[in-house]
Amino acid sequence: MIYEWLHSITGSEIAAAIIQSLLPLFIFILPFALFAVLLERKVSAHMQDRLGPMRVGYHGIFQTIADIIKLVQKEDIVATDNDKKFFDLSPILVFAGSYAAFAAIPFSGAFVGSNIDLGIVYIVAVTGLVVAGILMAGWASNNKYSLLGAMRAAAQIISYEIPSLLVIVTVIMITGTMNLFTISEWQTQYFWNWLILGGPVVGVAKFLLIPLMIVSFLIIFLSTLAEVNRTPFDIPEAESELVSGYHTEYSGMKFAMFFLAEYANMFAVSAVVSALFFGGFQSPVGYLGKLFGAAWLIPIEQFLWFTAKGLFFVFVQMWLRWTLPRFRVDQLMAFCWKYLIPFSFVILILVGLITVLL
Amino acid sequence: MRDYILKFWQGLITIIIGMRVTFRHLFVPSVTIQYPTVKPELPERERNRLYVNMDDCIGCDQCARACPVNCIDIETVKSIPGDDLGVTSNGKKKALWVTRFDIDIAKCCYCQLCVFPCPTECIYMTDVYEFAELERENLVYDFVTLTEEEKIEKKKNFEEFTIKKEAEKAAAAKKKAEEDAKKKEGGDQAGEKPLDNKE
């Protein structure tokens, strides 16, 4: 584990903990956000038969870095009627919420920020901070579009937490643990042992679980998509209706914080989905490290597999974004309350019966 | 209940269909052209910036008269007998010094109406379309090949020539008048004869 290694190097628990807590931010979230913004632009461009950024570096690979430089240089505009304190606080809160989620995400067998037993529930709880931050941002902006966007975001995120939590409870019933690290470990390597294909325990239950797990994967994927305000659930920041929703009034680095939080969130939910249903950091086909007897290679491979899976789901999110049009508010609520929640309830009961009876 | 599940199923299927379409487009070659480095292929009869080949221009002013927005401004000076203006490429003899040939391309509406009347085909549309300017005055293109001194010289020449001609004319007129007067004197007497003949 990286923590022990850091502890032995620095000789201080506090320093080791601080370094470890900063690791995901600097070696993962920031590079990922840089990459994901570019990926988003490239994917959207190519899906519309365009090229996307092409000027900065080879095929525009330094575009996001140039954007960051631009954002740093920009003036931080604060309108006179803004509620300054909350206006300044909300981007930090939103980012803190999405960053805190990374604490319980197992990046690889050797690195999990905090191996807490409540893992998945903790993630759901801290991402709730994002709602507070968004509502705060909308309200403090003193702008009707921002407030509308924030209200929509709050309603949407809270509604969609129900189906995602129900699916999480379903998973917890099967695995018997809330620790994401244990859940990932439990779905050992090889893809047929992943929960989407019924888990590693071979038996009648496994085959009964497969269709239920596929549907519950769809449910949690769609509801987490709604929780991070991505299209088709992007009514809180609907450009054509609300300028850009709760972050209309923000500029410069504060806006960049929202942006960073959005992309961090995208990866966080993708990571949660992959940890729950797709084996987390586990390789689908076995490890090279095991093949060659190099144990040090395994955590690196696991990290790469985890990143690949997360990126795949991020890509699917982008893919959906450029496929589906935006929901209307009533359709959004109907989709959650009339479809996702009943379906997840039925699955919850069925999985409960399966786990008890078989 | 059946309707409900059908709706759900339909939603799922249509999402997958839509995703298939967008995924296919991910690999469709893009239609974007990297503009300043790669230029779009222009159509065969494109109409862009006007150009005047002054070697062929005979200063006939037909293009200026054809222009619906009056963006062409031509001023010519007649040549004097001693001047050698050369011939155009299709063999027309030039007779006028063109001292001003301004095209205000900012006014130009690219209708190409000036191109057709030109007898020597010296005004035509080019394929240049990148001629943005910061000052509007820079869009007034001056095609005249004569230098300022030459222009002044040609004008002066023509003025002198006209003065000379006027003088000659006046002299000739005077002479003629004198002759006429002389004729009249002789004619009065002879004038009655034809009248008699007519009778």
Side-chain angles (χ1 to χ4, degrees), chain A residues 43 46-47 49-51 54-55 218 315 319-320 322-324 338-339 342-343, chain B residues 4 7-8 12 15 18-19 22-23 25-26 28 30-32 34-37:
Chain A
V43 165
H46 283 283
M47 278 183 178
D49 297 352
R50 295 183 287 115
L51 284 172
M54 288 290 281
R55 294 284 165 203
L218 285 176
F315 170 73
W319 187 3
L320 271 172
W322 299 105
T323 304
L324 299 175
K338 283 189 184 167
Y339 293 92
F343 267 77
Chain B
Y4 171 84
K7 250 186 180 169
F8 191 85
L12 211 68
I15 286 174
M19 285 176 82
T22 40
F23 192 74
H25 272 275
L26 203 54
V28 170
S30 75
V31 293
T32 313
Q34 292 287 296
Y35 163 59
T37 45

Side-chain angles (χ1 to χ4, degrees), chain A residues 1 14 45 62 70 79 101 132 147 164 191 247 271 278 298 318 329:
Chain A
M1 297 289 271
I14 296 166
F62 298 120
K70 181 201 74 177
L147 185 57
S164 62
F191 60 90
H247 54 66
F278 291 87
I298 294 174
M318 290 168 184
V329 182

Side-chain angles (χ1 to χ4, degrees), chain A residues 239-253:
Chain A
E239 292 91 351
S240 43
E241 300 162 26
L242 299 177
V243 194
S244 63
Y246 54 87
H247 54 66
T248 306
E249 292 286 322
Y250 285 87
S251 57
M253 274 323 279

